[in-house]
Structure formats: structure tokens, C-alpha cells
Amino acid sequence: MKALLDRVMTALRGDAQADRVVPPTGHTATLTLFSAAVMTFLAVFALALSLATGRLADRWSSELARTSTLRISAPAEQMEAQTRAALRVLETTQGVASARALSVEEQRALLAPWFGPDVPVETLPIPQLVEIVEDGTGYDAAGLRLRLQAEVPGAVLDDHTRWRRPLVTAASRLRLLGLVSILLIGTAMAAMITLAAQASLAANTQVIAVLRLVGARDSYITRAFVRRFTLRALSGAAVGMVLGVLAILILPPAQEEGGFLTGLGFQGWHWLWPLILPPLAGMVAFWATRTAARRRLAEIP
Amino acid sequence: MKALLDRVMTALRGDAQADRVVPPTGHTATLTLFSAAVMTFLAVFALALSLATGRLADRWSSELARTSTLRISAPAEQMEAQTRAALRVLETTQGVASARALSVEEQRALLAPWFGPDVPVETLPIPQLVEIVEDGTGYDAAGLRLRLQAEVPGAVLDDHTRWRRPLVTAASRLRLLGLVSILLIGTAMAAMITLAAQASLAANTQVIAVLRLVGARDSYITRAFVRRFTLRALSGAAVGMVLGVLAILILPPAQEEGGFLTGLGFQGWHWLWPLILPPLAGMVAFWATRTAARRRLAEIP
Amino acid sequence: MIELENVAYNYGGGDLLSDVTLKLAPGSFHFLTGPSGAGKTTFLKLCYGALVPTAGQASLFGQDVRGMDRDAVALARRRIGVVHQDCTFLDHLPIAENVALPLVVSGRDALKEQANLKDLLAWVGLSSRAQARPPELSGGERQRAALARAIIMSPDVILADEPTGNVDWEMSQRLLTLLVELNRMGKTVLVATHDLSLIRAAKTHVQARVLRIAQRRVQLAGADL
Amino acid sequence: MIELENVAYNYGGGDLLSDVTLKLAPGSFHFLTGPSGAGKTTFLKLCYGALVPTAGQASLFGQDVRGMDRDAVALARRRIGVVHQDCTFLDHLPIAENVALPLVVSGRDALKEQANLKDLLAWVGLSSRAQARPPELSGGERQRAALARAIIMSPDVILADEPTGNVDWEMSQRLLTLLVELNRMGKTVLVATHDLSLIRAAKTHVQARVLRIAQRRVQLAGADL
Ligand SMILES: Nc1ncnc2c1ncn2[C@@H]1O[C@H](COP(=O)(O)OP(=O)(O)OP(=O)(O)O)[C@@H](O)[C@H]1O
Ligand SMILES: Nc1ncnc2c1ncn2[C@@H]1O[C@H](COP(=O)(O)OP(=O)(O)OP(=O)(O)O)[C@@H](O)[C@H]1O
Ligand SMILES: [Mg+2]
Ligand SMILES: [Mg+2]
């Protein structure tokens, strides 16, 4: 990587006179610039999407607090025994990280939305709630229900919180999609720059023939082309990057109140991510042009 | 549109001999084919994303059933009066489509997750719940709270259901993003095909000069180039479309249990959507090449 | 056929040609000489509508060049066979197809003229190279192919720019014979060349007028040629 | 300098040249003639390493061409000035820079040679066209520029393929004088041409050997030239 960068820099320095031997303008030039710009623009979006969905997945999973609830309804005198039995069962259940009975205060807080803050929880015949925290793998709800039925007849397992699970999956899938798009876009950009370089080399057969005729070394010819293309890809990518970032900046931000979806923008040091795209494009161009030039020069007798 | 298609078809029919005057291969050819393929591939994804998020937004909004809840805690004897007062207030609140007090059975069903199915709701000092259905615009929660405070002191407005709202916004934004990407990708494809056509025309200056020298009309020259490029873009786009659809087919399907996120795939007749992409690419190519060729021919004396 | 009246031309700088008045009558044979850079190629380009006079009037087959659109020029070109000084071809097509190209673009059936094409290639000595691509030909072979392409349509006018610059003496005589033959059939021929011995040789076969470009004018050369 | 020993060459078909043995000694002056398509250009390409013999051995400055990599060929080319038959240039650069190109690619300071460049352009009559791009030149002007480019480095060997095919007699004498002058300075010169009068004219100035390609062989031409 370091060595490659060094070589890229050496190639870019070049010398002003060598530079003039390759026709400066032309449509393949515009094409390279444009492809690099468009692809980087799209890559910025894919990157933003990928990062945003990553944040989303993180937030959703932490919000989820993979919990479910066990509700134990029993006559007051059996309540404590059944609760302990239930906790024992849960302790030995695979996929359950921890389980604990809720205190009176906690139950009151939970019920507040329904009864207001002053529910006389003590005096109500309400069930004891047990909070179950799952570990990463999750437990087998059906199996747990069977065991509880046998040992704690008054227990009802409620994993209604599970409905949020697909959200996290969805977010991860989106993140994956973003990464896959970046890869795709990167590959497409590399291919396009290669093709544009090849097209330019093919269009400049006469230039190559003349340079060879007057005694130019192949490395000199290669360098002239590589320099052109690397610079073009670099500037194209820089333009695309700036435009992409601007476009993301002017996108309406996500409603903060909701906080459910994070904006598509970058956050914090993530703003640095797009910066690596132009050098990446430059390196791709450097490598692609050099390969193309060398092959072309080997083809021409 | 019809006229354009007709012209495209006429141009494509061409004649075999006229066809040979434009060099059949070359790097700009590959470039055109490849750009069309890549861009269509990306467009298929963007299309799928857009359609999927569209479905998502629809599903989420219908699931949302824009409701909130009013909880009235009051001594049993005032309960009915306060409920009626609250309903009166709500009827005159802008943004509230309807409001109704929940029946005992409904309240029991709501509490079931907490107390099990046999709660003696009648005997419990639980509040009366009023379901508020908003209209499209929604109401001003703060204003409503003020009015209720004045007239129904025991009422607590709980619009906790609002938390799902951002989901719908998010889905719409994703859909918009998908559409914007399609537009962007389309524009980029058009631009790339134009540039590739220009590059090819520039590389074939000699071909044009020779054809003119031997008395070929400009329309003949234009047609030969246009035909090549339209066919190339068409086949490139077809390849990209098929690959894109295949890629979407092999994506793991969304978990159906969740049903929260629909898969990225197309559903029903939406499968027809990608089919319009290649003809679209062909038309873009036709138009782009013709413009480029005419301009080029006008430039060359 | 082709008439120039008080024509002047410049490429942006000073006039290269000025006050040129000339009529290429049907069936006439002209040579055009002059030092390198005098404007011979420029003159020919004026004659087939590739350049438009900066002053004066040029007309092809009775039509003023200035008033012709591109289609009209294209149609006029089908009646004028041109041998360019730097012979360019469609490099991806074999020589035979390149020579037949004027037939193809004017919509004539190249297959019907197959025999004609064969004879022509044989006369210019390219029978064995008919399937080669232009870049595989030698300089002289390219020039001969260009001449063959210019006359395949048996055009009314033949304008040849240094058609023998790269061929040996015998071959140049052969090519000259071909042009003389065509002239006898009534075609108008104009050959730009710096090769005075070619002109001298031609004068024994045909009554040719020799034009010379000097001091921006096209003049009739003296009897010293 | 350049030696060919039993060299044969073919472009895939039958042998075009065979059994060619020749030594271009330092300071010698050669002409090469032969009918169009005989293989003059092919022979020159063998002499500067653009083609590798299909049989036999070619050596440039003592190195066998077969054993030279591309860099070695490039270095050898800097000692050989070549005038191609179809003079190609970098069309985006003015003629002056095109002529100076060999200096640039070999890393020499083109500015230092400015006076030399000016003289050379004046001699070939291109002073006024120095800033024009190659496509704006006439055929003969391009040939002169190509000759100027071939000799700007004052190479040890000069190989010119039809350097006077498109120029008038006076100019061709001028160009010949230039080559003779260089030969007097000790350079090796080989000129391929079909123009026998040029050869005859040269023989009065310089002791030149005339080679002729006939029946796939390169032979010394008789005294009839
Ligand atoms: N790249 C090639 N592939 C196949 N055949 C070729 C190639 N180059 C040249 N030839 C053939 O080889 C023969 C000799 O070509 P060459 O260019 O050496 O001739 P020449 O003596 O220079 O002729 P001229 O005086 O016309 O320039 C010709 O018949 C030509 O068609
Ligand atoms: N496109 C152009 N732009 C500018 N100047 C040009 C252009 N074409 C030709 N010239 C100049 O016009 C002059 C005449 O050119 P032209 O090609 O007509 O000469 P010519 O008589 O054919 O010479 P030759 O015998 O060398 O072919 C030359 O000095 C040339 O440099
Ligand atoms: Mg000329
Ligand atoms: Mg030759």
C-alpha cells in the first residue's frame, strides 16, 4: 500500500515536458473524469447509507434490550414459591442471560401509563412480573413454555417484545446492502477507468508509434499516460465526492424528535470517510492505466 | 414517444452493408456496453429499493392507525361525567377525527398482557381509557392538554403511539432516495453513453472523412453510428438488467415471520418494471448518439 | 463541369490563392504543378467542394458551392473521383471493400460490379492484395488503391493529388495510361503532381494543359514542359 | 553500424525478402530502389529494429536485434534517425515541438538546441510554418518536417523512406544536399526511393552505392544508374 502510494506520487510529479506528449484533451478524458465523478458521487451515498443503517442497527439493538416478560398469577401465599420456581427454571434455560423478579416500584412504573402514577400495586391482585434478559442467541420460547407449564402452572411467558427484532435484521441488511453497493460501485469505477484508459490508448496508437520512432522508452510513454489518467480520476473523484457530500448536506435532516431513524448524513469523524474515496479512485486509476498501457505497448510491435 | 420509438426501430433495422463501414469493435464499444450494463444493474437495485420502501411505507402507515389514548382517573361517581366532558372537548379539537371511550371488554383485553385474561376490571380502580383517532394532519398535543386540564382535571393525554410515526417518514424518505438514485443513475448513464459516443466519433474521424470523400450523405454516416451505439446500449442494458434481477433473486429473502420489512425483491407485476430499463437505455443511446454524431459532423468541415 | 471564377482562398492568414479563374471543360485533361506548399491540394479541395472559396465563386456541375448543403455536396462527390494526397481508408475493411466503398455508400449493388472491381484491381496490380487491410499495404500500393477507389464509379471528373508520388516509374506509366484511357472515354481529369517527367511522358499520349501555381495565381505553363 | 546476415522476412505468407546480407558501414551512403511493394519499407524496418527477421541475424551497433529488449531498441533508435514513408506526428503539438521531440524524449534540453532547430527548419523551408500543427501542413511540408525530426539529434545513421515523394525537384535537391552534407560529417545514410533521377543527381555529389530489391534479394544495382 505504502509502496503503491509512493509510486503513484512519483508518477504524478512527472515533468512538464514529458506531459505534453499525450494529447491533453479529448473525449476519453472527459469520460474518465465523468465516470470517476459519478461513481464517487454514488459511492458517497452508498457509504452514507451504509453508515446510517449501521447506526440504526446499533441503536435499535441497544433499545431492544433483548428482554421478554414472565407473568406469574397465583394466590398471594403461593406467589413467592412460584416465583422462585420460575427463576430456577429460567436459570437453567439455554439462551437466557439473566432473569429477575421486578420490585413493587418497578411494577408500579410499568403500570403508570395505564393507571396513572398512584396505583396501589400492593393491594391489587396483580401478577408478579419477571424480566428475562436473553443472551445473543435467544432461547427456545416453545420449550420454555412447556417446562414452565410443568413446574410453575401460573406462569405466562410473554415475548411480545420480539416484534422489534426484525427491525434490527432489517437494519443489518440495509447496512450489508450499502457495503455491497460500495463494492459494486468501486468495481464498476475500476472497470470504467480501465476501459477509458484502453480507449484512450487505442485512440492514441499514432502517438505511441511516433514516440517509439523517436526513441522514447516504454516507461516514458507509460508514465505520460498514467499521469494523465491518475490525475483525471483523482480530480473527477474529488468533484464527485464534494458534490456527494453537498447533496447529503442539503438532504432534509431526519426528524430529531423521532430519533428512530438517524439522518443519512455522516456523524462526527465519519465525515472523514468520503475523503478516502478520491485517493482510492486515484490508486485504482493508476493501477488500471498502468496495466492497460503496459498491455497495449506489449501488443504494438 | 411513439415517434421516437419508430425512429429507433427504423435506425436499428439498417442494412447489412451500411453496417460494415463503422469499425465493429474497439474499446469505446466495450465501454458503452459496460456502462450501460453497470448503470442498468444499479438502476435495477435502486428500483427494487424504491419499490420495497414504498411497500414498507404503505404497510407501516396502515398499521399505524394514527391513534393516541386519553386516560381519565376519577372517583367512580365522577367518572362518567368526566368522560363525557373529555369527549366533548375532543370533538371540538382540530385534528381529531374521532374519539370514543373504550368498553370494559376492550380495557380488559388491553390489560391482559399484564394481568392475564381474568382481571376483574369492574372491581379495580382503573382509569377509563378514551381512544383518539387523528385525522391526516394530527392535533396539537400541547393545546389539547391545556384545554383538558381546565375541563377534565383527571385526564392524562398519552400519545405514546406516536413513536411509530418516524418509521413511516423513514420509509417515505427511503422511497424518495430510491427514486432520486434512479434519476441520478439514468442521467449518469445518458451522460456516459453520450461521452462514449463522442469518444468513438472522435476516434473515427478518419472513417468520417473517408465516407464523406466517397460521397456518403451525413444521414448515412449518422445512421451507421447510431445503430451501433443503440444496439450496444440495448444489449449492455439487457445484460445489466438480467444480472441485477438475478442478484436480487439470490438475495436472502426477508424473514416472513417478522413481516416488518418486506424483501428487496419485486412483487407481482412489479417484476415487469426492470424490463423497461433496456428499451429506455436504448432510447437514451439513440438520442445521445444522434445528437453527438450530428454535432460532430457539423464540426468537421 | 467545374468552374472557378475569381476564386481566392486563405486558411486564416494571407491569401494562399487569389484571382483564380478556371473552367474544367468536359473531356479535358489537366496537370497541376507548383512547388511544395504552393496550394495544389488546396486548389483541388476547392474543386470538389471540401473547401469553400473565401472570395469569388466555385461551381460544381452548375451549382454554386456556397449554396450547396451537405447532401448536395455528397451527391456531387459521387460524380467526382478524388485521390487524396494522404490516402486514407477504412482500416477495418479489406482493400477490395475499400475500393468498392463508393458503390456501397451510393446504394449501388457492389456485387453487380464485381467483374469491374476485379479488372481494376488487376490493372493497378493489387489482385493479390485484395483481401489485405489498408495498414498492411505498402505506400505505393495504398496510392494505387486510392486511385482505383476514385474511378470505380466511373465518375465524370477525376481529381488526383500526387497519385504517383510513391510508385516506381513503370507503375506510374501504367496509372497514367489508365487516366488517359478514362479521358478518352470523355472523363475530365486533373492530376496534381510535382513530377515533371510524368507530365512530359503524358504529353505524348494526350493533349493535356499544364497549370502551374506561382505567386498565388494558377497560370498556364509555358511550352518548356 | 547496422549489419544484416542472411536475413529473411515474411508477413506470414511467403518470404518477401530472403538471404539478405548487408553491412552499412560508418560513413557510407546508400540508395535503395525497387518497384512498389518490393519490400523497401520492410527492409528499412529491419534496419531500425521495428521488425525482427524471421530468419538470419540483424544487428544494430553490434547488438543482435533478437536479444534486445524494448529499452535497448529505444536507446538504439536515438542513434538512428528515421523518416517514415507516411510521416506521422503528434498532431496536438506544433511542428517545431514535433521536430524537437527526439530531444525531449531522450531527456536532452530542447532549449539549448533552439538555434540548431531554427537553422534546420529554415533549411527545409518550414520557418514560417513552425507554429502550425501537422494536419495543417501540405504533404511536402510534412515530409520535410519528418526529415528535420530525423536529423535533429544528429544521429549516427539516417534511414529515409521516400523522403522526396511529395516535394518538387528543387526542394528534393535541397533535401539531398542536406543528407550529403551529413554524410560528409561521417553519418551513415540510406535513402529508399523510386525516383531514379534523384539518384542520378546525387551521384555527382557523393559516392553512393545503389541497392535494388528484385526477386526477394537486395542486390547492388549496375552501372546503368
Ligand atoms: N503489416 C503487413 N502485413 C502484411 N503484409 C504487409 C505488411 N506490410 C507490408 N506488407 C506487404 O509487403 C510488401 C512489401 O511492402 P513494403 O511496404 O516493404 O513495400 P515497399 O517496397 O516499401 O513499397 P512502396 O514503394 O510502395 O512503399 C507489400 O506487398 C505489402 O503489401
Ligand atoms: N488546414 C490548414 N490550416 C492552415 N494552413 C494550411 C492548412 N492546410 C494547408 N495549409 C497551408 O497552405 C499551404 C498550401 O497547402 P497545400 O496542401 O495546398 O500545398 P500543396 O501545393 O498541396 O503542397 P505539397 O506539394 O507539399 O502537397 C501550405 O503552406 C500549408 O501549410
Ligand atoms: Mg499537396
Ligand atoms: Mg514503402
Side-chain angles (χ1 to χ4, degrees):
Chain A
M1 187 75 174
K2 177 71 172 52
L4 183 63
L5 243 170
D6 274 358
R7 281 203 308 232
V8 172
M9 291 321 295
T10 317
L12 291 194
R13 246 177 273 124
D15 69 295
Q17 229 168 4
D19 223 30
R20 291 178 54 84
V21 302
V22 178
T25 53
H27 291 283
T28 46
T30 329
L31 199 57
T32 315
L33 215 119
F34 187 82
S35 313
V38 167
M39 287 300 172
T40 313
F41 184 87
L42 291 177
V44 168
F45 266 84
L47 197 62
L49 185 71
S50 173
L51 288 174
T53 46
R55 286 198 299 273
L56 204 59
D58 287 350
R59 182 180 311 183
W60 284 351
S61 14
S62 70
E63 261 182 22
L64 251 195
R66 311 158 159 280
T67 56
S68 38
T69 318
L70 189 68
R71 191 173 69 238
I72 304 170
S73 311
E77 63 278 7
Q78 290 176 26
M79 189 63 100
E80 207 163 317
Q82 287 215 7
T83 305
R84 256 180 284 122
L87 288 174
R88 260 199 316 276
V89 169
L90 288 169
E91 266 162 32
T92 59
T93 304
Q94 222 175 10
V96 172
S98 68
R100 99 199 145 77
L102 295 193
S103 69
V104 172
E105 285 71 37
E106 285 171 320
Q107 300 225 59
R108 182 179 292 143
L110 273 173
L111 289 174
W114 300 104
F115 299 96
D118 315 309
V119 209
V121 178
E122 309 77 41
T123 67
L124 282 177
I126 58 170
Q128 170 67 48
L129 298 180
V130 175
E131 186 192 67
I132 306 171
V133 179
E134 301 167 27
D135 64 15
T137 56
Y139 58 83
D140 165 27
L144 182 57
R145 277 205 185 91
L146 276 179
R147 285 182 64 201
L148 285 170
Q149 211 165 28
E151 302 194 24
V152 195
V156 177
L157 177 64
D158 183 2
D159 56 351
H160 66 278
T161 51
R162 282 191 174 231
W163 73 265
R164 267 195 177 183
R165 183 76 42 81
L167 277 181
V168 178
T169 322
S172 319
R173 282 164 55 94
L174 278 178
R175 168 153 57 176
L176 186 72
L177 202 71
L179 285 176
V180 168
S181 339
I182 292 183
L183 265 184
L184 267 178
I185 290 169
T187 318
M189 176 158 78
M192 275 187 198
I193 292 177
T194 310
L195 283 169
Q198 284 173 348
S200 170
L201 286 162
N204 286 307
T205 309
Q206 185 176 327
V207 171
I208 296 174
V210 169
L211 287 175
R212 280 219 173 134
L213 190 70
V214 299
R217 287 176 205 240
D218 279 8
S219 57
Y220 181 94
I221 304 174
T222 307
R223 222 177 317 123
F225 277 99
V226 166
R227 181 154 192 268
R228 270 283 145 70
F229 272 91
T230 308
L231 284 180
R232 264 176 216 157
L234 210 62
S235 35
V239 169
M241 191 260 299
V242 168
L243 289 182
V245 167
L246 282 182
I248 281 181
L249 275 178
I250 63 168
L251 266 192
Q255 287 140 303
E256 279 313 311
E257 23 160 329
F260 182 81
L261 189 83
T262 67
L264 194 62
F266 298 97
Q267 284 179 359
W269 63 270
H270 282 170
W271 280 107
L272 296 178
W273 270 110
L275 288 182
I276 69 161
L277 292 176
L280 221 61
M283 270 190 281
V284 164
F286 173 78
W287 176 82
T289 320
R290 214 174 45 151
T291 316
R294 289 193 173 166
R295 209 175 33 209
R296 179 84 196 160
L297 286 173
E299 272 168 25
I300 301 177
Chain B
M1 186 73 175
K2 176 71 172 52
L4 182 63
L5 244 170
D6 275 356
R7 282 203 307 232
V8 172
M9 290 320 295
T10 318
L12 290 194
R13 247 178 273 125
D15 69 295
Q17 230 168 3
D19 222 31
R20 293 178 54 83
V21 303
V22 177
T25 52
H27 291 283
T28 46
T30 327
L31 199 56
T32 316
L33 216 119
F34 187 81
S35 314
V38 167
M39 288 300 172
T40 313
F41 185 88
L42 292 177
V44 168
F45 266 84
L47 197 62
L49 185 71
S50 175
L51 289 173
T53 46
R55 286 198 298 273
L56 204 59
D58 289 349
R59 181 181 309 185
W60 285 351
S61 12
S62 68
E63 263 182 20
L64 252 194
R66 311 154 160 283
T67 56
S68 40
T69 317
L70 188 68
R71 192 174 68 236
I72 304 169
S73 311
E77 63 278 7
Q78 289 178 28
M79 190 62 102
E80 207 164 317
Q82 287 217 8
T83 304
R84 256 180 283 121
L87 288 172
R88 261 200 314 279
V89 169
L90 288 170
E91 264 161 33
T92 59
T93 304
Q94 225 177 7
V96 172
S98 69
R100 101 199 145 74
L102 294 191
S103 68
V104 172
E105 285 71 36
E106 285 172 320
Q107 300 224 59
R108 181 179 293 144
L110 273 173
L111 290 176
W114 300 103
F115 299 95
D118 315 309
V119 207
V121 179
E122 309 79 39
T123 67
L124 284 177
I126 59 172
Q128 170 69 47
L129 298 181
V130 174
E131 187 194 65
I132 305 170
V133 178
E134 302 167 27
D135 64 16
T137 56
Y139 58 83
D140 166 26
L144 181 58
R145 277 205 185 90
L146 276 180
R147 285 183 60 201
L148 285 170
Q149 210 163 28
E151 302 194 25
V152 195
V156 177
L157 178 65
D158 182 4
D159 56 354
H160 64 278
T161 52
R162 283 189 170 232
W163 72 266
R164 263 196 179 183
R165 183 76 40 83
L167 276 182
V168 179
T169 323
S172 320
R173 282 165 54 96
L174 277 179
R175 168 152 59 177
L176 186 71
L177 201 70
L179 285 176
V180 168
S181 339
I182 291 183
L183 265 183
L184 267 178
I185 289 170
T187 318
M189 177 158 76
M192 275 188 198
I193 291 177
T194 310
L195 285 169
Q198 284 173 346
S200 170
L201 286 161
N204 286 306
T205 309
Q206 184 177 328
V207 169
I208 296 173
V210 169
L211 287 174
R212 280 217 173 133
L213 189 71
V214 299
R217 287 175 204 243
D218 279 8
S219 57
Y220 180 95
I221 305 174
T222 308
R223 223 176 317 124
F225 277 99
V226 165
R227 180 153 192 270
R228 269 284 145 69
F229 273 91
T230 309
L231 284 180
R232 263 175 217 159
L234 210 62
S235 35
V239 169
M241 192 260 301
V242 168
L243 289 183
V245 168
L246 281 183
I248 282 181
L249 275 178
I250 62 168
L251 268 191
Q255 288 141 304
E256 279 313 312
E257 24 159 329
F260 183 82
L261 188 83
T262 67
L264 194 63
F266 298 97
Q267 284 178 0
W269 63 270
H270 282 171
W271 280 106
L272 296 178
W273 270 111
L275 287 183
I276 69 162
L277 292 176
L280 220 63
M283 270 190 283
V284 164
F286 173 78
W287 176 84
T289 320
R290 214 173 46 151
T291 317
R294 289 193 173 163
R295 207 176 35 211
R296 180 82 196 164
L297 285 173
E299 272 169 25
I300 300 177
Chain C
M1 302 259 119
I2 296 179
E3 285 175 69
L4 305 182
E5 241 191 86
N6 290 320
V7 161
Y9 193 82
N10 65 64
Y11 287 104
D15 269 2
L16 181 67
L17 295 172
S18 69
D19 219 1
V20 176
T21 301
L22 188 85
K23 209 173 133 170
L24 293 187
S28 63
F29 199 116
H30 284 89
F31 280 104
L32 178 68
T33 63
S36 169
K40 297 184 292 298
T41 302
T42 306
F43 179 83
L44 287 188
K45 284 186 175 167
L46 289 167
C47 288
Y48 65 88
L51 294 176
V52 176
T54 44
Q57 183 181 331
S59 57
L60 311 185
F61 308 107
Q63 277 182 287
D64 186 350
V65 168
R66 232 180 289 270
M68 289 165 85
D69 62 3
R70 287 189 184 275
D71 268 6
V73 171
L75 291 181
R77 293 253 175 101
R78 296 183 188 177
R79 303 176 61 188
I80 307 177
V82 178
V83 183
H84 239 270
Q85 192 167 9
D86 36 301
C87 322
T88 47
F89 295 94
L90 300 186
D91 284 347
H92 61 288
L93 294 182
I95 281 300
E97 285 192 48
N98 264 291
V99 170
L101 195 61
L103 300 171
V104 172
V105 302
S106 62
R108 274 164 62 177
D109 189 351
L111 284 179
K112 273 195 198 150
E113 324 256 350
Q114 207 62 29
N116 188 4
L117 176 64
K118 258 193 157 154
D119 286 352
L120 197 53
L121 286 177
W123 186 262
V124 299
L126 288 177
S127 296
S128 64
R129 309 293 296 149
Q131 292 312 312
R133 320 265 138 176
E136 297 168 0
L137 293 192
S138 80
E141 286 167 344
R142 264 202 299 280
Q143 250 175 356
R144 290 179 262 155
L147 182 63
R149 184 179 63 189
I151 60 182
I152 183 101
M153 293 269 278
S154 69
D156 299 329
V157 182
I158 296 155
L159 305 176
D161 199 357
E162 305 273 15
T164 60
N166 278 316
V167 298
D168 49 294
W169 177 249
E170 275 125 77
M171 184 50 77
S172 72
Q173 289 310 302
R174 229 176 134 83
L175 299 183
L176 186 63
T177 310
L178 191 59
L179 291 171
V180 168
E181 209 61 56
L182 285 164
N183 179 247
R184 292 225 174 99
M185 288 162 60
K187 312 293 181 194
T188 310
V189 178
L190 175 70
V191 178
T193 182
H194 66 268
D195 190 353
L196 303 186
S197 53
L198 185 76
I199 301 179
R200 276 186 218 110
K203 282 196 149 182
T204 64
H205 303 298
V206 73
Q207 222 199 343
R209 293 212 298 170
V210 179
L211 307 169
R212 147 164 290 159
I213 302 186
Q215 274 109 47
R216 309 206 305 273
R217 299 281 198 289
V218 177
Q219 303 156 333
L220 212 57
D224 57 319
L225 275 178
Chain D
M1 302 257 117
I2 296 178
E3 285 175 69
L4 304 183
E5 239 191 88
N6 290 319
V7 161
Y9 193 81
N10 66 66
Y11 284 105
D15 268 3
L16 182 67
L17 295 172
S18 67
D19 219 1
V20 176
T21 301
L22 188 86
K23 211 173 135 169
L24 294 186
S28 62
F29 199 116
H30 285 89
F31 280 105
L32 177 68
T33 62
S36 169
K40 298 185 290 298
T41 302
T42 306
F43 179 84
L44 286 188
K45 284 186 175 166
L46 289 167
C47 289
Y48 65 87
L51 293 177
V52 176
T54 43
Q57 182 180 334
S59 57
L60 312 184
F61 307 108
Q63 277 181 291
D64 185 351
V65 168
R66 229 180 291 271
M68 289 166 86
D69 62 3
R70 287 188 182 277
D71 268 8
V73 172
L75 291 180
R77 292 256 174 98
R78 296 183 187 175
R79 304 176 62 185
I80 307 178
V82 178
V83 183
H84 240 269
Q85 192 167 8
D86 35 303
C87 323
T88 47
F89 295 94
L90 299 187
D91 284 348
H92 62 287
L93 294 181
I95 281 299
E97 285 193 46
N98 264 290
V99 170
L101 195 62
L103 300 172
V104 172
V105 302
S106 62
R108 274 163 63 176
D109 190 351
L111 285 178
K112 273 197 197 149
E113 324 257 349
Q114 207 63 31
N116 188 4
L117 177 65
K118 258 193 157 154
D119 286 352
L120 197 53
L121 286 176
W123 185 262
V124 299
L126 288 177
S127 296
S128 64
R129 308 294 295 149
Q131 291 313 312
R133 318 268 139 175
E136 297 168 2
L137 293 192
S138 80
E141 286 168 345
R142 263 201 300 280
Q143 253 175 355
R144 291 178 263 153
L147 183 63
R149 182 179 64 188
I151 60 184
I152 183 103
M153 292 268 278
S154 72
D156 298 328
V157 181
I158 297 155
L159 305 176
D161 199 357
E162 305 273 14
T164 61
N166 279 315
V167 299
D168 50 292
W169 179 249
E170 276 125 74
M171 184 49 77
S172 71
Q173 291 309 302
R174 230 177 131 83
L175 299 184
L176 187 63
T177 311
L178 191 59
L179 290 171
V180 168
E181 209 61 56
L182 285 165
N183 179 246
R184 292 225 174 96
M185 288 162 61
K187 312 293 182 194
T188 310
V189 179
L190 175 69
V191 179
T193 182
H194 65 269
D195 190 351
L196 303 186
S197 54
L198 185 76
I199 300 179
R200 279 188 215 108
K203 283 196 148 182
T204 63
H205 303 298
V206 73
Q207 221 201 342
R209 293 213 297 170
V210 180
L211 307 169
R212 147 164 290 159
I213 301 187
Q215 275 108 45
R216 309 205 306 273
R217 299 281 197 291
V218 177
Q219 303 156 334
L220 212 59
D224 56 320
L225 275 175

